[in-house]
Amino acid sequence: ETGVTQTPRHLVMGMTNKKSLKCEQHLGHNAMYWYKQSAKKPLELMFVYNFKEQTENNSVPSRFSPECPNSSHLFLHLHTLQPEDSALYLCASRGQEGAEAFFGQGTRLTVV
Amino acid sequence: QKEVEQNSGPLSVPEGAIASLNCTYSDRGSQSFFWYRQYSGKSPELIMSIYSNGDKEDGRFTAQLNKASQYVSLLIRDSQPSDSATYLCAADTGGFKTIFGAGTRLFVKA
């Protein structure tokens, strides 16, 4: 298996639920990212991990909690989300600073 | 606030024509620039990367960079209906951070 893989592809959750998004990359990259993509808005950078260390938290609400146990895996733990959090959540990885990022297929999240 | 600006479109061109997509960025320190294509419901995929002033050609695609004007463009020659997608411009702002524009929707009419 190659590239960046995200699971699940689709998720519907209630506002009181707790769920997690998973991302796995098989590219040997050291940096991993979570982006949020809402309709008609730019991709929003949420979190950046470099060598498992979080280097960026772009003022993301605490109801989103990232976890990076190693350079190949990245999780986004979700709890008490709001309907406005419904969006496409994209994971990406990058091999070195200045190089291109490779994206996973995304998780389409709907909060009801 | 570091930003990347794009015209949201839609940009409509006939099949076989040249499509011209433009982008400006605010961070003068940015050194790496990317064009991604995103089909509806799919994730972004890299089309071109450019790091130096001037033109970079890859098949039907040409990326142009002018750091003095903080301007990046993408030309698609011989446009095909399969090129219909949203094109995202992105700029590296250092520290492993990449900022994306909102994207330009391109329609290629058969």
Side-chain angles (χ1 to χ4, degrees):
Chain A
E1 191 173 355
T2 59
V4 182
T5 303
Q6 289 185 243
T7 55
R9 296 292 305 277
H10 301 274
L11 178 62
V12 179
M13 61 185 289
M15 289 189 283
T16 59
N17 291 162
K18 291 183 180 181
K19 297 287 184 182
S20 296
L21 309 185
K22 179 183 176 181
C23 176
E24 183 174 1
Q25 59 96 1
H26 303 272
L27 300 169
H29 290 167
N30 296 313
M32 296 188 75
Y33 304 75
W34 282 115
Y35 282 91
K36 174 184 178 182
Q37 188 174 38
S38 304
K40 302 198 187 301
K41 292 176 69 175
L43 277 168
E44 299 174 48
L45 179 62
M46 299 177 73
F47 301 104
V48 181
Y49 278 83
N50 190 21
F51 288 99
K52 303 188 300 178
E53 299 297 321
Q54 187 180 122
T55 58
E56 184 75 22
N57 176 339
N58 206 22
S59 301
V60 180
S62 60
R63 58 186 183 269
F64 296 92
S65 176
E67 177 189 1
C68 187
N70 54 61
S71 294
S72 299
H73 294 85
L74 185 64
F75 297 89
L76 188 62
H77 304 299
L78 316 171
H79 64 97
T80 59
L81 294 191
Q82 304 298 311
E84 59 264 30
D85 296 322
S86 299
L88 180 67
Y89 287 84
L90 290 160
C91 174
S93 72
R94 154 181 284 171
Q96 59 188 32
E97 191 169 1
E100 63 270 25
F102 292 84
F103 285 87
Q105 311 95 316
T107 296
R108 174 67 63 184
L109 173 67
T110 303
V111 181
V112 297
Chain B
Q1 180 81 357
K2 298 174 182 176
E3 294 182 336
V4 173
E5 300 283 346
Q6 294 182 258
N7 187 326
S8 63
L11 173 65
S12 184
V13 301
E15 184 175 0
I18 296 175
S20 178
L21 305 164
N22 304 312
C23 163
T24 59
Y25 59 95
S26 64
D27 183 7
R28 191 168 284 278
S30 295
Q31 297 295 320
S32 305
F33 304 88
F34 309 96
W35 282 100
Y36 287 83
R37 177 176 63 199
Q38 187 174 24
Y39 292 114
S40 180
K42 303 293 186 181
S43 61
E45 57 178 331
L46 183 73
I47 296 294
M48 294 280 286
S49 58
I50 187 165
Y51 305 96
S52 305
N53 279 329
D55 295 0
K56 179 181 178 182
E57 186 175 319
D58 184 0
R60 296 187 296 114
F61 299 95
T62 298
Q64 299 174 317
L65 174 60
N66 183 326
K67 290 185 179 179
S69 300
Q70 295 176 244
Y71 176 89
V72 192
S73 67
L74 180 70
L75 299 178
I76 306 175
R77 289 182 299 281
D78 187 24
S79 295
Q80 302 296 310
S82 59
D83 295 325
S84 298
T86 297
Y87 289 80
L88 306 176
C89 176
D92 231 31
T93 59
F96 281 89
K97 289 178 60 175
T98 301
I99 304 299
F100 284 81
T104 299
R105 285 189 298 151
L106 172 66
F107 291 108
V108 180
K109 298 173 293 185

